[in-house]
Amino acid sequence: SIKKLAVAFCAVALLAGCSGKKGMMNGVDHALVRDFENNVGDRVHFEFNRSDITKAAHTVLERQAQWLKAHPSIRVSVQGHCDERGTREYNLALGERRANAAKKHLESHGIHADRLETVSYGKERPAVLGTDEAAYAANRRAVSVLQQ
């Protein structure tokens, strides 16, 4: 029957989606990603209209550098983000400055530039939706995404 065929198709599609890089994210084992995100911290935040590294961000970036030293095969994409205020062009440039500030900080703590890339998403990928200061603060960030 069509119902049995649909169920079989869904089962095959589900299994196909699970094959290949099982337990991997960007080529990195999920356990490593979870360890990095939960125990080290994958993001730092910035003040409004700023790209300088705060004391809190400094602490997180130091932990990231130590973790990356212990995992020398891991590469990082440092992604710069902004809140929704400002033009698209302005926020892309600010996001780039934020990503570069985090990258330079990691480099200053011994992580080779070849392991780091930067990208700016400006205001295009908010972490939190909203138009209050809490949402704005959550969106002003640089996120270190692990890659193989």
Side-chain angles (χ1 to χ4, degrees):
S1 75
I2 292 179
K3 186 175 180 182
K4 286 183 182 178
L5 186 60
V7 169
F9 177 78
C10 289
V12 170
L14 180 63
L15 290 173
C18 292
S19 66
K21 294 185 175 182
K22 185 176 182 184
M24 303 293 264
M25 177 180 251
N26 297 327
V28 180
D29 185 275
H30 275 283
L32 285 177
V33 173
R34 277 193 307 276
D35 178 54
F36 185 76
E37 290 173 352
N38 297 331
N39 299 320
V40 176
D42 68 337
R43 64 196 61 210
V44 295
H45 292 92
F46 295 87
E47 298 299 320
F48 175 68
N49 203 27
R50 303 293 299 262
S51 60
D52 50 317
I53 300 298
T54 64
K55 287 181 182 178
H58 176 82
T59 301
V60 172
L61 290 168
E62 280 185 1
R63 285 196 314 259
Q64 288 184 10
Q66 290 304 316
W67 191 93
L68 289 167
K69 286 176 186 175
H71 299 88
S73 67
I74 304 291
R75 298 176 40 81
V76 175
S77 173
V78 183
Q79 301 175 349
H81 300 271
C82 302
D83 64 40
E84 69 178 20
R85 298 172 289 182
T87 65
R88 181 178 185 277
E89 294 77 18
Y90 179 82
N91 281 321
L92 283 171
L94 179 57
E96 184 174 346
R97 289 193 302 275
R98 289 174 174 168
N100 282 325
K103 177 183 183 237
K104 285 183 169 99
H105 204 82
L106 290 169
E107 288 175 3
S108 76
H109 284 82
I111 305 305
H112 197 279
D114 289 349
R115 294 177 62 193
L116 306 168
E117 67 177 35
T118 60
V119 63
S120 175
Y121 290 110
K123 61 183 178 178
E124 305 303 319
R125 294 186 179 186
V128 176
L129 297 178
T131 56
D132 60 2
E133 184 50 41
Y136 294 153
N139 290 326
R140 295 188 304 258
R141 69 201 190 282
V143 181
S144 296
V145 178
L146 303 182
Q147 301 180 327
Q148 195 60 43

